[in-house]
Amino acid sequence: MSKARISPLRSGFVHLALAGYTVVALFPVVLTIMNSLKDKNAIFRTPLALPTAETFSLIGYTTVLKQGDFISYFQNSLIVTVVSIFFALLFGAMAAFALSEYRFRGNTLMGLYLAIGIMIPIRLGTVAILQGMVAAGLVNTLTALILVYTAQGLPLAIFILSEFMRTVSDDLKNAGRIDGLSEYAIFFRLVLPLVRPAMATVAVFTMIPIWNDLWFPLILAPGEATKTVTLGSQVFIGQFVTNWNAVLAALSLAIFPVLILYVIFSRQLIRGITAGAVK
Amino acid sequence: MRGGDRRRSALPHIAAIDEKRVGAAEAMSSAISSEDSIEVPARPRRWHILVFLLPAVIVYSAVMILPLIETLRLSLFNTVDGQSTFVGLSNFQVLFGDERWAADFWRALKNNFIFFAIHMLVQNPLGIALAAMLSIPKLRLATFYRTAIFMPTILSFVIVGFIWKLILSPIWGITPFFMDLVGLKSLFGPWLGKPGSALITVSLISVWQNVGIPMMLIYAALLNIPDEVIEAAECDGITGWSQFWKIKLPLVLPAIGMVSILTFVGNFNAFDLIYTVQGALAGPDGATDILGTLLYRTFFGFQLQLGDRSMGATIATVMFLIILAGVSLYLFGIQRRVRRYQF
């Protein structure tokens, strides 16, 4: 297929603009990581230079690891994120299957009911959520966060997964039924493996807001034992404002895992957002 | 989402089969008797549907919908003589008119609209421009640009907020250094600390972080435009700029509408970035206070201010109504009227 060609001058401008914005997007992060590896003098004297042998220092990281309990913050974040995603995916897939596979009275209504949460943020119910968690004795537990995030992830998971489940061949499911598979077996053994790519997309989508959330950890689980990385670094940096080494190191520590995951999953994530449009 | 249903019910007896879609065998038998479907014997209750739906519905209702309703209900109650009493709309009267609350509330609402306006004026046009450039066919390095520009979006507000606080800090001097390079050093100021510029600065930080979302969604929409349409335009001599304005932009309007409503909902429950950069008091002097931070201070309490559940619920209700109004306007006003092209 031939296209009207773009003049080299034009494409030069396009590259200039895109490269320029790429620098704007990456520069702050690179700057932070770079300076977290320097000693204090170098941070202020030559903030734009790469760390050299003389200026290299890990003092910030040792301060952070000594003072803040980052390992346990990571653990908390990991538990909360993984468990919430697991339940959001499992329950979401089950509900999506029910909605897309069976015709029953109230199907459309149920679909709409479960879709409210896509547009209306769960935060607006915080006052009553906190009240409920206090009543249930779940304040300052990871369970509270897991419950909230599972509920938060469900609407989008159900919406996306039911779209995908509609594309699973009816013949396949009916063949399973004739062979005597129960509806549960059809779901778990036939349908679920087929929508695995969609599940991965939903997982990545759900993961980012959960890992990054500050609001609910701040309100439901601010205790030292249940702090997530986001809240932990927020509090830590707030206390160490004047210790630039520590602040930069804490920021870098919070960035690394996300950055590594992003590099690994960026294709998946971007393909999920653009849903098949990316060729 | 429900497109399939409509198609099915257009053919009554296929709908009847569908109604009975339990098992293949059963579907077949009902196909035979579809003319007089009344005589089909009552099916056994399909408990599995309930089992599939129940966990999601329970968690979702208990943690999301019921608290939301309870919050709306609480906004109509207040503590009178130590007892929760129904007070009608007087909480709203206090919020809108009482001197202790009204000034804060209206300021937060106004700031929130400015916050939203800056996103609409800067983030979305920037996102469209980036997407338009990325979608140029056979552009080298496109994947790299795409991945890099989207990166800030996955970082947490806490990281983004603190990084920019450091970069804009007069102590570190990164920003003055760069402004010096372009000869604008005299314009530098402690932007985050000045009431006049703080809100704009925070909004632009948020734009920097979130521009990846409009970029990606519009990029996807642009790639979905079939080649034939573009080729036809080229045959008619429409290329470059006029092609973008006359052909591509009208075709991606639905995506732009969706981006706008996502921006609206996101902005009207924003909290994290402002809390990180300016604290719960949304300084300087409340200049960056938006509804999210006001809600946090009101119901959770901060420093000397005690938490007030009823007023918190009232603010949450106002936020709910604003978001609901925006979403309804989008669903019933804009989304239906935007012309969609089927390829």
Side-chain angles (χ1 to χ4, degrees):
Chain A
M1 182 198 65
S2 70
K3 289 255 166 196
R5 263 196 297 149
I6 320 160
S7 72
L9 186 72
R10 251 195 118 95
S11 95
F13 273 124
V14 166
H15 276 287
L16 199 68
L18 283 173
Y21 196 83
T22 303
V23 172
V24 174
L26 293 183
F27 171 74
V29 174
V30 174
L31 187 76
T32 306
I33 295 176
M34 213 165 69
N35 281 291
S36 72
L37 298 168
K38 294 189 204 163
D39 62 34
K40 193 162 188 170
N41 280 332
I43 291 178
F44 284 98
R45 228 168 274 154
T46 52
L48 296 177
L50 283 169
T52 61
E54 298 117 69
T55 58
F56 180 81
S57 158
L58 288 175
I59 174 89
Y61 289 91
T62 45
T63 317
V64 171
L65 293 177
K66 223 185 295 162
Q67 303 279 337
D69 204 355
F70 267 76
I71 310 248
S72 105
Y73 300 160
F74 267 119
Q75 224 170 359
N76 290 336
S77 273
L78 206 63
I79 294 172
V80 168
T81 312
V82 170
V83 178
S84 315
I85 289 179
F86 174 79
F87 283 118
L89 280 181
L90 177 68
F91 295 166
M94 283 162 66
F97 183 69
L99 289 177
S100 63
E101 176 66 13
Y102 310 110
R103 302 280 142 243
F104 54 91
R105 206 174 299 138
N107 180 315
T108 314
L109 212 60
M110 182 60 86
L112 284 177
Y113 173 72
L114 291 169
I116 298 173
I118 298 178
M119 278 302 185
I120 302 296
I122 191 169
R123 272 183 197 187
L124 299 180
T126 311
V127 177
I129 292 177
L130 178 63
Q131 208 177 324
M133 293 299 174
V134 171
L138 288 174
V139 170
N140 272 328
T141 61
L142 296 181
T143 318
L145 292 180
I146 290 170
L147 278 171
V148 169
Y149 292 141
T150 306
Q152 174 185 294
L154 276 172
L156 197 64
I158 294 174
F159 183 74
I160 296 178
L161 291 176
S162 58
E163 294 284 296
F164 271 87
M165 284 183 183
R166 269 176 241 281
T167 64
V168 174
S169 124
D170 276 342
D171 295 342
L172 179 75
K173 285 174 278 194
N174 289 338
R177 290 189 177 107
I178 291 169
D179 286 346
L181 286 184
S182 71
E183 295 298 316
Y184 304 107
I186 286 172
F187 170 68
F188 281 106
R189 285 169 52 192
L190 292 182
V191 177
L192 220 45
L194 284 173
V195 295
R196 216 182 284 152
M199 305 265 280
T201 305
V202 175
V204 179
F205 274 145
T206 329
M207 191 191 92
I208 297 169
I210 297 178
W211 183 273
N212 287 342
D213 189 40
L214 177 65
W215 176 264
F216 283 112
L218 194 62
I219 286 164
L220 295 178
E224 187 58 30
T226 50
K227 267 189 198 136
T228 59
V229 167
T230 310
L231 179 61
S233 39
Q234 207 272 335
V235 173
F236 178 86
I237 296 172
Q239 286 166 352
F240 280 74
V241 212
T242 47
N243 186 341
W244 284 61
N245 288 98
V247 168
L248 289 166
L251 283 173
S252 303
L253 277 178
I255 294 172
F256 282 137
V258 185
L259 210 56
I260 292 168
L261 282 178
Y262 180 59
V263 171
I264 299 173
F265 288 113
S266 65
R267 283 186 80 88
Q268 177 92 47
L269 176 74
I270 289 169
R271 201 176 301 149
I273 300 173
T274 52
V278 182
K279 290 163 204 159
Chain B
M1 186 177 166
R2 305 270 106 179
D5 293 7
R6 225 172 297 129
R7 204 175 337 113
R8 281 188 200 116
S9 49
L11 298 165
H13 88 205
I14 296 187
I17 300 176
D18 223 86
E19 217 46 69
K20 309 285 173 261
R21 198 167 82 188
V22 192
E26 212 172 318
M28 244 177 270
S29 76
S30 64
I32 297 161
S33 59
S34 67
E35 297 303 321
D36 43 359
S37 52
I38 313 140
E39 284 175 32
V40 173
R43 281 175 284 116
R45 282 217 162 259
R46 294 178 291 169
W47 288 109
H48 49 267
I49 298 182
L50 206 62
V51 173
F52 280 130
L53 276 174
L54 221 48
V57 172
I58 289 177
V59 174
Y60 174 76
S61 304
V63 187
M64 180 147 186
I65 297 298
L66 290 178
L68 200 58
I69 295 171
E70 171 70 5
T71 304
L72 300 184
R73 193 187 68 87
L74 273 175
S75 71
L76 302 175
F77 285 76
N78 209 332
T79 321
V80 179
D81 301 331
Q83 266 193 328
S84 182
T85 322
F86 180 77
V87 293
L89 294 174
S90 78
N91 285 339
F92 292 92
Q93 265 170 4
V94 169
L95 186 68
F96 299 151
D98 189 278
E99 55 187 284
R100 281 172 306 148
W101 293 95
D104 276 2
F105 169 74
W106 292 113
R107 185 182 57 196
L109 189 65
K110 192 188 89 194
N111 287 345
N112 220 148
F113 271 104
I114 297 174
F115 191 65
F116 172 60
I118 294 176
H119 279 81
M120 287 299 282
L121 291 176
V122 182
Q123 173 191 285
N124 295 349
L126 190 62
I128 296 170
L130 290 169
M133 288 190 283
L134 279 178
S135 65
I136 291 173
K138 301 206 179 104
L139 184 79
R140 270 188 221 132
L141 290 174
T143 319
F144 166 73
Y145 292 140
R146 204 174 65 197
T147 314
I149 296 176
F150 193 71
M151 194 271 298
T153 309
I154 57 150
L155 295 178
S156 83
F157 293 97
V158 171
I159 299 173
V160 171
F162 277 114
I163 289 185
W164 278 101
K165 229 172 133 173
L166 297 183
I167 291 179
L168 292 173
S169 149
I171 304 174
W172 204 8
I174 299 274
T175 314
F177 172 78
F178 277 104
M179 296 197 62
D180 201 17
L181 284 185
V182 286
L184 290 173
K185 195 175 180 182
S186 56
L187 292 180
F188 177 77
W191 289 313
L192 283 172
K194 287 203 286 197
S197 56
L199 182 61
I200 298 175
T201 313
V202 176
S203 310
L204 290 178
I205 297 176
S206 169
V207 167
W208 175 82
Q209 174 174 24
N210 289 315
V211 74
I213 296 170
M215 182 187 82
M216 281 301 172
L217 293 175
I218 290 164
Y219 174 64
L222 283 170
L223 290 185
N224 270 331
I225 299 176
D227 295 329
E228 294 79 33
V229 175
I230 304 296
E231 276 165 26
E234 277 164 5
C235 289
D236 290 341
I238 302 175
T239 53
W241 272 111
S242 61
Q243 189 184 68
F244 176 75
W245 288 108
K246 289 185 184 149
I247 312 285
K248 289 181 176 165
L249 202 62
L251 289 176
V252 298
L253 271 185
I256 295 176
M258 199 171 83
V259 163
S260 307
I261 191 63
L262 288 179
T263 313
F264 181 82
V265 175
N267 285 169
F268 275 88
N269 83 99
F271 161 79
D272 308 43
L273 184 71
I274 295 192
Y275 180 79
T276 306
V277 178
Q278 307 286 36
L281 288 171
D285 199 19
T288 50
D289 201 17
I290 59 171
L291 292 173
T293 43
L294 179 68
L295 169 65
Y296 174 78
R297 283 202 314 275
T298 306
F299 103 93
F300 204 62
F302 186 72
Q303 288 178 354
L304 294 176
Q305 184 179 354
L306 281 178
D308 184 336
R309 214 178 53 190
S310 307
M311 288 313 285
T314 310
I315 295 173
T317 304
V318 172
M319 290 165 77
F320 172 79
L321 293 176
I322 292 174
I323 290 176
L324 193 68
V327 172
S328 314
L329 184 75
Y330 166 72
L331 287 180
F332 303 112
I334 299 170
Q335 197 202 25
R336 296 236 169 131
R337 245 166 255 167
V338 170
R339 215 190 282 177
R340 267 155 222 284
Y341 297 87
Q342 289 287 328
F343 302 121

